[in-house]
Amino acid sequence: MVNEIIVDVSPGEIRVGILEDKELAEIHIERTSHQGLVGNIYRGKVSSVLPGMQAAFIDIGYEKNAFLYVGDAIPKKEYSDDETEVSSNYEEYNITDILKVGQEITVQVIKEPIGTKGPRVSTHITLPGRNLVLLPNADYIGISRRIENDTERQKLKKIAEKLKPQNMGLIVRTVSEGKEEADFVEDVSFLLKLWAKIKESENKGPVPRCIHKDINLIYRSVRDLFTWDVNKFIINNEKEYLKVLELVEMISPLLKSRVELFQKDYNIFDYYQIETKIERALSRKVWLKCGGYIIIDKTEALTVIDVNTGKFVGESNLEETVLKTNVEATREIAKQLRLRDIGGIVIIDFIDMNNSEHQQLVLDSLKQSLKSDRTKTIVLGMTELGLVEMTRKKIRQELSTVMSCDCPVCDGAGRVYTGETNAMNILREVREHINCTSVKKFKLEVHPSVAPVIEDNIERFLRNFTDNKDKKVKVTAVSDIRPAGYRIKDVDMD
């Protein structure tokens, strides 16, 4: 597989596209007006403690207070091989015994503010390096779940145990596979110095304030994404290109030859056909190669994906047609979840299958397809209604939220009133206006889609519902008015 990282640096915006065999697999966007908070560390102050929710709100200086759950406020003690999740028995704790209003506390943002909710924070600080993640407030070792070879996992665990600072934890990252002890020493040294600097700044300055800001999207991409699996790292800004070379020289010198400066007088995302792929990533309907399609709908609580056979009629029998469509859909669904960065609960309505073996094949295909996703996913299984339940960890805003907003006409509902409905609503409001004035003649401006309906019904409304039946209304179609809107003027008509 040919993997490429394409970086578009523009005034006010950085975009990073990850291509796998020329197909867009991930897109990350960071804007000067709204830089991400995940990874930032703050010295905050407890604003309120809610025992009923086992949570507290922390003032970190952001426009909305940050949410701190009790499970993120107590130490993690139990060992786990998972890169991101370590369980702790938080049920024995009460949030009121841990935090008090006005108390100062150091927290790290683990989830971006989404919608009306503020950011989510944790006291479980993580400082990522190239090969390792330092856990200053924990005391365990974790190995990336994407390193599957048992022998390699045991080797890396022994190295981590040897290098682990006292009373701290380490997570061995996926990129560490195949590396030896010498490759980790500098990482540990750098991260310990970084933590010492953060601790030093904890008690200096006003509260709340940011005491550590994570590096920007370009350098995070180098640190977290630019591995030996990536054939090229291409960037269109010379200044940032030179900085990337310096960073790569520090963390993985042998990858320097794969960094390229894009110098063509052309939009880099257009050149690599990423712009059109981003547009498709915002589409509700996604076609499958076989002729079927999937529909992706977002609700407040979850994402719903519906699979349909569409144009695909199959070759042999209905069961095989359904199975082939569903299996292909699993690959596309996994791709779309990753590309759109969809998080939270996901419900998938596959085409009905009566054969239990076929159901298991579809579930296995979905799980296999999700393995390429760096974000943690859990497939819970299939319900009696044939719906597949799964979750995907939600960290940042979804692509659709970053790039689009609710339609001002339908307020995000996705549907608008018909021309007839708009016309009748306008006529009722116009009737009230006419009845409240002694003026005899009016000019009514409406959208072209409703003008014919109003013209057909205005005389009847005037005749049956107004006090003065000699009043006249001239209807004019204008395109600069919303279909549900209108302008009425008191005028002398010729």
Side-chain angles (χ1 to χ4, degrees):
M1 180 181 289
V2 178
N3 297 329
E4 297 171 309
I5 296 177
I6 312 299
V7 183
D8 175 31
V9 183
S10 303
E13 183 182 67
I14 298 170
R15 299 186 297 174
V16 174
I18 299 176
L19 299 181
E20 295 178 352
D21 284 339
K22 306 299 181 182
E23 286 296 319
L24 184 62
E26 294 181 26
I27 179 71
H28 303 276
I29 300 173
E30 187 171 272
R31 292 174 178 142
T32 305
S33 59
H34 184 75
Q35 295 185 342
L37 301 180
V38 169
N40 292 355
I41 300 175
Y42 294 85
R43 188 64 175 172
K45 185 176 290 187
V46 179
S47 174
S48 59
V49 179
L50 308 174
M53 295 179 61
Q54 279 287 70
F57 284 98
I58 314 296
D59 180 8
I60 61 171
Y62 185 67
E63 59 188 56
K64 296 175 183 174
N65 286 340
F67 180 81
L68 175 64
Y69 182 58
V70 64
D72 295 315
I74 59 174
K76 288 185 176 180
K77 298 178 181 179
E78 298 180 18
Y79 170 81
S80 171
D81 275 351
D82 192 293
E83 185 172 330
T84 57
E85 297 293 331
V86 176
S87 60
S88 188
N89 186 16
Y90 57 82
E91 293 179 357
E92 62 189 54
Y93 293 88
N94 191 310
I95 192 70
T96 56
D97 297 329
I98 303 170
L99 298 173
K100 306 296 180 185
V101 174
Q103 176 183 338
E104 292 186 7
I105 184 172
T106 298
V107 293
Q108 184 175 41
V109 177
I110 59 173
K111 184 178 177 181
E112 295 285 356
I114 298 174
T116 59
K117 298 178 181 178
R120 181 168 176 174
V121 295
S122 173
T123 60
H124 307 145
I125 307 298
T126 60
L127 298 177
R130 173 64 168 177
N131 303 302
L132 299 169
V133 178
L134 179 67
L135 312 173
N137 299 334
D139 191 1
Y140 66 87
I141 290 171
I143 309 295
S144 167
R145 58 191 169 89
R146 299 183 69 187
I147 299 176
E148 298 180 345
N149 184 281
D150 289 336
T151 303
E152 181 68 13
R153 292 180 69 86
Q154 289 303 315
K155 183 197 81 173
L156 293 172
K157 182 182 176 183
K158 289 179 181 178
I159 294 174
E161 287 173 342
K162 185 176 181 180
L163 297 177
K164 186 179 83 67
Q166 188 174 6
N167 299 323
M168 292 188 184
L170 285 177
I171 293 175
V172 180
R173 307 189 72 179
T174 307
V175 72
S176 302
E177 189 168 10
K179 295 190 176 181
E180 302 299 330
E181 181 179 334
D183 298 310
F184 300 96
V185 175
E186 192 171 328
D187 237 14
V188 174
S189 175
F190 168 76
L191 293 173
L192 285 173
K193 289 177 184 177
L194 177 59
W195 177 239
K197 183 179 178 182
I198 293 170
K199 289 294 289 182
E200 186 181 346
S201 63
E202 263 188 333
N203 300 315
K204 294 181 180 180
V207 177
R209 72 186 187 283
C210 180
I211 58 178
H212 170 72
K213 187 174 178 60
D214 200 9
I215 54 181
N216 76 14
L217 177 58
I218 299 174
Y219 311 128
R220 289 201 308 272
S221 300
V222 174
R223 181 190 68 193
D224 301 336
L225 304 176
F226 191 24
T227 65
W228 284 102
D229 294 331
V230 177
N231 301 86
K232 290 182 180 180
F233 186 103
I234 306 169
I235 185 168
N236 65 347
N237 181 284
E238 185 173 7
K239 181 180 177 181
E240 297 295 346
Y241 163 75
L242 295 174
K243 289 182 179 180
V244 167
L245 286 179
E246 291 178 9
L247 181 57
V248 174
E249 177 66 38
M250 291 173 54
I251 64 175
S252 194
L254 295 178
L255 288 175
K256 278 185 68 177
S257 61
R258 303 187 185 187
V259 181
E260 295 182 9
L261 175 63
F262 183 82
Q263 295 179 295
K264 296 179 175 61
D265 188 18
Y266 207 79
N267 180 336
I268 187 172
F269 268 31
D270 277 336
Y271 184 82
Y272 288 96
Q273 300 177 4
I274 297 177
E275 295 287 11
T276 54
K277 292 169 183 173
I278 293 176
E279 291 176 10
R280 287 202 295 270
L282 298 175
S283 175
R284 181 171 174 260
K285 178 185 284 188
V286 180
W287 286 98
L288 306 176
K289 292 180 180 178
C290 68
Y293 63 89
I294 61 174
I295 297 290
I296 303 174
D297 280 323
K298 180 73 179 173
T299 72
E300 186 72 21
L302 48 81
T303 299
V304 180
I305 302 177
D306 185 40
V307 182
N308 297 276
T309 53
K311 302 173 184 176
F312 183 52
V313 294
E315 296 176 356
S316 54
N317 58 62
L318 178 60
E319 284 190 359
E320 290 300 321
T321 300
V322 169
L323 177 62
K324 184 174 181 180
T325 305
N326 283 339
V327 168
E328 185 176 334
T330 62
R331 296 190 286 267
E332 189 62 39
I333 287 168
K335 174 183 172 182
Q336 292 297 325
L337 291 176
R338 182 181 171 198
L339 176 57
R340 299 172 189 235
D341 205 5
I342 293 173
I345 300 171
V346 180
I347 302 296
I348 307 170
D349 184 10
F350 286 104
I351 305 167
D352 291 342
M353 296 173 288
N354 297 321
N355 188 317
S356 59
E357 291 184 3
H358 287 185
Q359 291 177 353
Q360 191 58 50
L361 281 172
V362 170
L363 283 174
D364 291 343
S365 178
L366 179 61
K367 292 175 182 177
Q368 182 64 34
S369 300
L370 289 168
K371 283 187 175 182
S372 61
D373 195 342
R374 294 181 299 114
T375 301
K376 186 175 182 181
T377 57
I378 300 174
V379 178
L380 301 173
M382 189 174 289
T383 69
E384 292 182 3
L385 294 175
L387 304 175
V388 172
E389 300 173 316
M390 65 167 289
T391 62
R392 187 174 185 271
K393 190 171 183 179
K394 184 184 292 185
I395 301 174
R396 295 180 171 85
Q397 291 183 330
E398 297 179 9
L399 180 64
S400 61
T401 305
V402 173
M403 296 194 63
S404 62
C405 62
D406 286 346
C407 169
V409 175
C410 69
D411 292 327
R415 299 183 68 84
V416 296
Y417 285 145
T418 63
E420 291 83 353
T421 302
N422 282 326
M424 293 301 138
N425 288 340
I426 291 170
L427 283 169
R428 280 187 281 270
E429 292 184 26
V430 167
R431 180 189 68 200
E432 296 299 323
H433 174 82
I434 292 175
N435 282 340
C436 293
T437 178
S438 59
V439 177
K440 302 292 186 181
K441 298 176 181 180
F442 307 88
K443 181 179 180 181
L444 178 62
E445 295 179 344
V446 294
H447 190 269
S449 66
V450 301
V453 181
I454 290 180
E455 287 176 337
D456 290 344
N457 291 275
I458 189 71
E459 291 298 331
R460 187 167 65 253
F461 260 75
L462 292 177
R463 188 166 56 251
N464 296 335
F465 296 105
T466 58
D467 296 332
N468 300 304
K469 296 181 174 54
D470 57 343
K471 294 185 177 182
K472 302 292 183 182
V473 178
K474 181 180 180 181
V475 180
T476 304
V478 292
S479 58
D480 65 339
I481 294 179
R482 289 181 4 174
Y486 66 92
R487 288 191 293 260
I488 187 166
K489 302 176 182 178
D490 304 340
V491 294
D492 288 329
M493 295 189 298
D494 297 332

